Amino acid sequence: MSKDNFVLSTGYLKKVVPLLMKYQVSATPTNYALWYTYVADADTDLSKEINESIQATGTLSEVQCDQLYQSHFADKKVKEADDFQQSLQALALEMGNTMQDTLKDTDTFQSTLDKTFSQLARVGEETLSMDETIAVVRSAVKGSNQIRQSTSFFKNQLADAQKEIERLKETLAQANEEALNDALTGLFNRRAFDAELDALASKPPPKGFSLLICDLDHFKSFNDTYGHLMGDQVLKLTAKRLSDYCREGIQAFRYGGEEFAILVPNRQLNGACRVAETIRASIDRLVIKDKKTGKKLDNISMSIGVAQFEKGEKIKSLIGRADALLYEAKSLGRNRVMPIA
């Protein structure tokens, strides 16, 4: 490294550490790489996204840092995914080849047995010499040994494959646990919601924030009537509508099942209720059709409870208040926002 580059990188270091402290971001290698790139202005798109988040919420949370890192520095994760897929393909190919070999040996042994029994059947019909009888038995024994070795090898292969499958399952489970996105809808998942809500509560934006708990009405009945595949399509469409309103720091999460959570920074209760009403009306206008028949299905609606974070409040209390308002909306006939702005 040249002296000029050393001086330059040292200057970036002096800028990165204060930013991590200012926004209360953990000094992990991934976060350091993210903010180093930011202060170096080495990625225009990354800098723009960070600036927009800071402008909207006054900070950049751990969840957002992780999301930005994955989108801008994801080579390692992509490689891990490719390695995982290649391991599965190699395992399937190896097991397939071994099975084909074993089946081939089994066919050969079956042919040997058929021939042997045919020859032995002659004992009752005609006289076989002792040498001929011994030769027939030896042939059967030889075939038996071959198939025993083949099946034994296949059994060992199955045992090894089972171990490899268990390892891959653990790898996949860990990847799913570490992921921040819901696989079906593409929204942030519950793990990301918990982390983001904790970050907002510990350092609220200048004008505070509000929580929206949203639940699709009569969704179980819809699933029972039209099937879970159609239900999944509804969840995806709903998530797409929610994503359309994720601007100015607003973030949407799949909270669980047909329930969603939305964090609205820098909005007082009335403003958050207006956001909720806009979302409710948008979901109410969704047209659900069966792609096979073209038939229009029952309308989907959403009930929403809105609660504004109170300084010093416990997260459990905030969620409880939003949940209570959601159930009040349900009890009043659904397809509405509570409290009424």
Side-chain angles (χ1 to χ4, degrees):
M1 179 184 293
S2 68
K3 183 177 180 180
D4 289 342
N5 286 338
F6 178 77
V7 172
L8 188 62
S9 61
T10 302
Y12 292 151
L13 173 63
K14 291 179 179 179
K15 293 180 180 179
V16 168
V17 174
L19 286 173
L20 295 178
M21 296 176 65
K22 178 180 179 180
Y23 298 117
Q24 297 182 354
V25 176
S26 302
T28 62
T30 56
N31 285 341
Y32 179 77
L34 184 76
W35 286 91
Y36 185 95
T37 305
Y38 171 72
V39 299
D41 199 22
D43 186 327
T44 304
D45 291 336
L46 174 64
S47 298
K48 180 182 177 183
E49 290 182 54
I50 291 178
N51 288 332
E52 287 177 349
S53 176
I54 293 174
Q55 184 177 1
T57 66
T59 189
L60 192 72
S61 69
E62 293 281 356
V63 171
Q64 290 172 307
C65 285
D66 188 84
Q67 189 73 6
L68 287 171
Y69 181 82
Q70 289 191 40
S71 61
H72 291 271
F73 304 90
D75 290 346
K76 181 176 182 296
K77 290 187 179 295
V78 171
K79 183 179 184 302
E80 289 174 350
D82 289 342
D83 290 344
F84 185 84
Q85 183 178 11
Q86 289 173 9
S87 296
L88 286 177
Q89 291 175 341
L91 179 63
L93 181 62
E94 183 178 1
M95 292 305 299
N97 289 338
T98 303
M99 186 175 291
Q100 287 181 355
D101 291 341
T102 302
L103 289 174
K104 183 178 179 181
D105 291 340
T106 301
D107 289 340
T108 301
F109 182 56
Q110 182 64 50
S111 177
T112 299
L113 281 181
D114 291 343
K115 183 177 179 181
T116 299
F117 286 137
S118 176
Q119 291 174 326
L120 289 176
R122 290 166 50 199
V123 173
E125 299 173 2
E126 56 186 273
T127 302
L128 283 179
S129 69
M130 181 61 68
D131 290 340
E132 288 176 320
T133 302
I134 292 174
V136 170
V137 173
R138 283 177 176 172
S139 177
V141 171
K142 181 180 178 182
S144 176
N145 286 334
Q146 288 175 341
I147 192 61
R148 182 175 59 81
Q149 292 172 1
S150 180
T151 53
S152 176
F153 178 74
F154 186 47
K155 181 180 179 180
N156 291 334
Q157 288 289 93
L158 283 176
D160 291 340
Q162 185 63 37
K163 293 178 182 178
E164 179 66 7
I165 288 171
E166 290 301 321
R167 185 188 71 80
L168 292 174
K169 282 171 63 178
E170 290 178 3
T171 301
L172 182 60
Q174 182 178 358
N176 287 336
E177 184 178 337
E178 294 175 352
L180 294 174
N181 292 92
D182 175 62
L184 177 65
T185 63
L187 294 178
F188 287 126
N189 60 18
R190 178 64 182 270
R191 177 174 177 267
F193 169 76
D194 290 340
E196 188 69 8
L197 183 55
D198 184 62
L200 283 174
S202 63
K203 189 180 179 183
K207 297 180 182 179
F209 70 95
S210 295
L211 168 65
L212 282 58
I213 299 292
C214 319
D215 188 80
L216 291 174
D217 298 323
H218 301 297
F219 189 71
K220 183 179 184 302
S221 176
F222 184 95
N223 263 345
D224 292 342
T225 303
Y226 300 109
H228 290 280
L229 289 178
M230 186 60 67
D232 287 349
Q233 292 304 312
V234 170
L235 291 174
K236 291 177 183 178
L237 286 172
T238 300
K240 176 63 173 63
R241 285 292 172 92
L242 297 182
S243 297
D244 291 341
Y245 294 95
C246 288
R247 49 183 180 268
E248 298 179 350
I250 296 175
Q251 297 182 79
F253 307 80
R254 187 179 181 193
Y255 194 64
E258 66 271 24
E259 203 167 15
F260 300 86
I262 301 174
L263 292 173
V264 183
N266 289 319
R267 301 285 178 95
Q268 298 297 311
L269 183 62
N270 285 343
C273 285
R274 286 193 292 271
V275 171
E277 178 58 33
T278 302
I279 291 173
R280 183 208 62 78
S282 176
I283 299 300
D284 193 40
R285 291 193 297 269
L286 274 176
V287 177
I288 311 297
K289 288 186 177 181
D290 187 331
K291 291 183 179 180
K292 294 182 179 179
T293 64
K295 179 183 177 182
K296 183 179 178 181
L297 306 183
D298 294 343
N299 285 344
I300 288 292
S301 64
M302 174 177 279
S303 299
I304 306 176
V306 185
Q308 180 182 335
F309 176 73
E310 298 176 357
K311 190 173 181 180
E313 181 180 20
K314 298 291 186 182
I315 289 175
K316 185 176 180 180
S317 171
L318 174 65
I319 295 175
R321 292 194 293 114
D323 262 333
L325 287 163
L326 169 64
Y327 285 114
E328 186 176 349
K330 295 280 190 181
S331 66
L332 290 174
R334 296 178 170 82
N335 194 19
R336 65 187 65 223
V337 173
M338 289 299 294
I340 299 173

